[in-house]
Structures are given as C-alpha cells and as structure tokens.
Amino acid sequence: MPPAARPARVDAVRNRASLLAAAEAEFAERGIDASVADIAKRAGVVKGTVFRHFATKDDLVAAVAGDRLARLSVIAERLSESPDPGQALREFASATAEILQQQGLAFLRAASECNPVVAESRDQLLASADVLVERACRDGIVRADVTGADVLLLTCAAVHTVAATPGPAPDLWRRYLTIVIDGLRPVGASPLPRPAPERF
C-alpha cells in the first residue's frame, strides 16, 4: 500500500499564497511583462522559491488568471438561479468589475493563449455570462442582440475608464458601470452595426 501523501508544509502554503498575491500586484502594475525576480522580491522570497511552486512564469500567470475566471464562473452560476434576472446581471457585472479591475482583459487574453486550462475557464465564464444575459433578454430587461461577451467587455471598459482619471475614488467605476448596464435596455435601442465577438 503506497504511503499517504504528506500534507504541505505550513511555510510552503504561506509562500505560495504570498507569491500569488505578489504576482497579482506586479501584473496589475506592469502587465504580463512583470519579471519573476520582481515578483519574488515583492513576496519576500528568493527567485528559486517561485520556481519551486510554479515551473514556469506562464504557470504563475495561469494561476493568477485562472483563479479570477473560476471565481467569476461560480458567481455567474449561482446568479443564474436568481428569481430576478435583471438584478442578477447587475450583480454579476459588479462582481466582474471588482474581481477583474486588477487584471485587464489583455492580461487574461495572454493567459488564455499560453494555457489551455485558463482558456477553458474563460470559455466557461463566457457561457455562464451568456446564460445571465439570455435570461435578462427573455424578461425584456436587456436588448436581444447583447451577449455575455458584450457585458464582460463593457464592464471592463467601465473599470478602464476610471483608470484614466487622475486620483479617482475607489468605487468610481460603479458610476460608469451603472451607465453601461442602463444602456443595455431595449427601449430606444439602435441596431448594432456588427456582431459581438465570440470571446475576449
């Protein structure tokens, strides 16, 4: 009978958590080009410790991006059971803005391109977002030609709009997200000139 797997050492678990937090911060500041050396320095560990937890930088990128996408998929799936499709879509957009504001879509796209597991998580999130949007469309809350990808892209646009302003209030993105969500209503909507992208 094979021996039972040894539990992870407390310091190893702590180092991994510190590395993920440091990587999030570095990627938010410098994008996907942030160096492993700078991530290790921010985490207070040597560079070799990074590679003991993540074989490559791409693996570290995938861990950060995959965590964000998985959290949003769980939220979307929970909200798909909500009795109020309009409120569910608003809650999902707010959660997306809060969770993704530290990592832009360019970061998530790059992570998806370098890791098939992250790409699968992205596609799952898009499918879950489509369900929320379709429910809102059926209730006449959202125009019929809007997709989950549209909502995700517009939500991130609201966050990036705030990033372009000097010294914004921490929750200023809520103002622009409200404008975006209200703009999805079918009343007075003009025909859209092009179809929505299939993914981001």
Side-chain angles (χ1 to χ4, degrees), residues 48-49 51 61 94 104 117 162 167-169 176 188:
T49 300
F51 293 114
V61 169
S94 292
V117 175
V162 172
Y176 297 101

Side-chain angles (χ1 to χ4, degrees), residues 24-186:
E24 281 186 39
E26 285 292 320
F27 290 140
E29 290 177 11
R30 305 171 191 268
I32 204 163
D33 293 329
S35 73
V36 171
D38 286 338
I39 291 169
K41 183 177 179 181
R42 185 183 285 253
V45 299
V46 297
K47 190 173 174 180
T49 300
V50 179
F51 293 114
R52 279 198 293 276
H53 290 274
F54 304 98
T56 66
K57 180 183 171 182
D58 284 350
D59 290 338
L60 180 55
V61 169
V64 172
D67 172 70
R68 294 292 173 259
L69 294 169
R71 284 174 57 195
L72 282 172
S73 288
V74 169
I75 291 168
E77 288 169 16
R78 174 179 57 79
L79 289 171
S80 70
E81 303 296 325
S82 169
D84 185 339
Q87 183 59 31
L89 187 60
R90 283 181 180 274
E91 286 185 33
F92 174 69
S94 292
T96 299
E98 286 188 297
I99 289 174
L100 293 188
Q101 62 183 316
Q102 295 302 315
Q103 274 82 39
L105 288 181
F107 173 84
L108 295 175
R109 185 166 51 250
S112 299
E113 289 171 356
C114 73
N115 189 292
V117 175
V118 177
E120 185 177 338
S121 294
R122 175 205 59 201
D123 292 346
Q124 177 58 51
L125 175 60
L126 284 165
S128 298
D130 278 336
V131 169
L132 293 176
V133 171
E134 287 163 8
R135 293 179 73 231
C137 288
R138 284 197 300 270
D139 274 22
I141 298 164
V142 170
R143 53 188 293 165
D145 50 2
V146 169
T147 69
D150 285 327
V151 170
L152 286 163
L153 288 166
L154 288 169
T155 297
C156 290
V159 172
H160 292 309
T161 296
V162 172
T165 63
D171 63 347
L172 181 60
W173 59 265
R174 294 183 185 278
R175 171 186 173 84
Y176 297 101
L177 186 58
T178 298
I179 294 170
V180 165
I181 296 298
D182 285 352
L184 298 176
R185 292 176 179 166

